[in-house]
Amino acid sequence: MTDSKKPLDTTRRNFIAGSAAAVSTFFIGRPKARAGDAEITLKFATVAPSGTPWSKHTSRLKKRVKEGTDGRVKVKVYLGGGLGDEDSTVSRCRKGGIAGWAGTTAAMASIIPELAALELPYLFPNVTAADDILDNKVTGEVQKMLEKAGFKLLFFSENGHRSIGTNFGFVKSTADLKGKKMRSQSHDVHLNTWRALGASPQPIAVTEAMTALQTGVVDGFDNTPLFTFAASWFQAITHFTLTRHSYQPAMAVMNLDVWNRLPADVQTLIAGDLKAESEYGRKTVRAIGKQLIDNFAPAGVQVHESSRAELDAFAKATKPTHKKFTDKYGSSFYKAIAKHL
């Protein structure tokens, strides 16, 4: 933390070690594991630090699998991006080098571009609508796209609503972003959103973003309060504007071939119930949302809650990104979402 910021107490440091979802698994065992084998080890890697909702979710999985198999199957979790960033690990998962992965839909969209429709700016009116659409309306379409690409869907979760952190002041209009270099995820949805807001997007991996912020390569970023604290990016900003311009779901998947090699009882234990696991993941993330926002002030970061007029102006400015997306990637999945809004 910089000298200009008030240090946080130890309890709060532990609490705010939150993170976005990005879990990966690696299966080590015989070509086809059997229920009677002495041991199967499943390695999980995540960019989330310990003490976060996502690390708690993996601990829940570890316990379920260990107890359900009497110790035959061991889940070993590697926290903090030990296997790489989201884009590289999802690619390795597709090739079978990593058995499973979980992260943002934007990262999965590097393989399945249509999925990025879920992150278009101001698409969902609220999280209730987002939950209903993912859990009840387009689940089948998502599963088919994933299976075609070689993945098995385990459950949904979320990173949450992305807002804007800066080192130059609040963002109350597009004029405030003119000429500013802003860290971006690499998908067109995020790049075009920044351009529509007047900024110059800089696609930079999560693992390199903190250095870019500290050295002035970028002037800010967009992400959730959860990830802002998890990655310690709050240390490199002075202002956080709650634009909530993009709702970012997350998902956990496994390589389909690896999944099919697992014995049926282990599959059942890993997957659990899709809806129940999705609800659990979102609930744990949302439970600390307000407290995370409250933590900005003690960290020396000012917060602005965008007005309705400001949000309407941002929504109007970014609306053309929806057509840019459908023109490039097709409108089928986008329409499947939009008809329920």
Side-chain angles (χ1 to χ4, degrees):
M1 184 175 294
T2 59
D3 293 338
S4 63
K5 289 182 167 55
K6 182 179 178 180
L8 301 177
D9 58 60
T10 303
T11 300
R12 180 161 287 171
R13 282 182 181 276
N14 290 337
F15 173 77
I16 65 175
S19 175
V23 183
S24 312
T25 63
F26 181 68
F27 173 65
I28 299 177
R30 299 178 183 179
K32 187 167 184 176
R34 293 184 296 273
D37 285 353
E39 183 175 329
I40 297 171
T41 299
L42 297 170
K43 290 185 178 180
F44 277 64
T46 174
V47 298
S50 62
T52 69
W54 273 83
S55 67
K56 290 175 182 177
H57 206 158
T58 59
S59 293
R60 165 183 159 118
L61 173 62
K62 285 174 61 174
K63 181 179 180 181
R64 184 169 72 233
V65 172
K66 180 179 179 180
E67 292 179 353
T69 63
D70 293 325
R72 284 187 298 107
V73 179
K74 178 182 179 182
V75 173
K76 188 174 182 180
V77 180
Y78 292 80
L79 301 170
L83 293 185
D85 62 30
E86 283 191 327
D87 287 352
S88 64
T89 50
V90 75
S91 177
R92 289 171 60 193
C93 181
R94 186 187 193 189
K95 297 172 183 176
I98 297 173
W101 176 93
T104 61
T105 46
M108 179 58 78
S110 64
I111 294 173
I112 310 172
E114 297 89 339
L115 281 176
L118 293 163
E119 299 190 20
L120 283 164
Y122 300 105
L123 177 66
F124 298 108
N126 50 57
V127 293
T128 301
D131 293 351
D132 180 53
I133 287 171
L134 283 168
D135 292 343
N136 303 310
K137 303 300 193 300
V138 300
T139 314
E141 286 93 331
V142 173
Q143 288 174 318
K144 287 177 183 177
M145 286 190 283
L146 288 169
E147 288 180 8
K148 185 177 180 180
F151 297 104
K152 162 69 178 178
L153 176 65
L154 300 181
F155 56 83
F156 294 111
S157 187
E158 68 178 20
N159 184 18
H161 276 100
R162 299 174 74 94
S163 290
I164 299 175
T166 68
N167 60 16
F168 56 80
F170 293 127
V171 177
K172 297 184 179 183
S173 72
T174 56
D176 295 327
L177 286 169
K178 186 176 181 180
K180 301 300 184 182
K181 295 180 179 180
M182 303 297 286
R183 183 265 167 183
S184 177
Q185 285 196 254
S186 59
H187 194 278
D188 285 344
V189 163
H190 293 271
L191 297 171
N192 287 334
T193 297
W194 277 124
R195 292 173 186 133
L197 290 170
S200 173
Q202 308 295 311
I204 297 172
V206 164
T207 51
E208 300 171 8
M210 186 61 170
T211 299
L213 288 162
Q214 291 174 324
T215 57
V217 172
V218 292
D219 303 302
F221 60 88
D222 74 322
N223 219 306
T224 62
L226 176 64
F227 195 82
T228 298
F229 280 107
S232 296
W233 292 1
F234 72 93
Q235 297 182 23
I237 59 173
T238 56
H239 296 74
F240 197 81
T241 305
L242 293 166
T243 54
R244 298 185 179 92
H245 55 274
S246 175
Y247 175 70
Q248 188 165 56
M251 59 180 65
V253 301
M254 287 189 70
N255 175 281
L256 192 58
D257 289 336
V258 173
W259 171 262
N260 287 334
R261 292 192 191 108
L262 292 172
D265 65 324
V266 177
Q267 289 179 339
T268 299
L269 288 165
I270 291 173
D273 177 85
L274 191 154
K275 280 192 178 182
E277 289 299 311
S278 300
E279 289 172 3
Y280 172 82
R282 294 175 186 135
K283 182 179 179 179
T284 56
V285 170
R286 293 171 189 173
I288 61 174
K290 184 181 183 300
Q291 190 166 354
L292 286 167
I293 293 173
D294 291 343
N295 282 343
F296 277 114
V301 178
Q302 298 181 58
V303 176
H304 173 66
E305 181 73 61
S306 298
S307 69
R308 184 71 261 168
E310 290 166 349
L311 293 175
D312 287 344
F314 289 139
K316 182 178 180 180
T318 57
K319 184 62 177 178
T321 64
H322 292 225
K323 187 174 187 303
K324 285 185 178 181
F325 177 85
T326 56
D327 284 348
K328 184 171 183 177
Y329 299 110
S331 61
S332 178
F333 185 55
Y334 176 83
K335 287 181 178 179
I337 299 166
K339 72 180 182 180
H340 298 294
L341 295 172

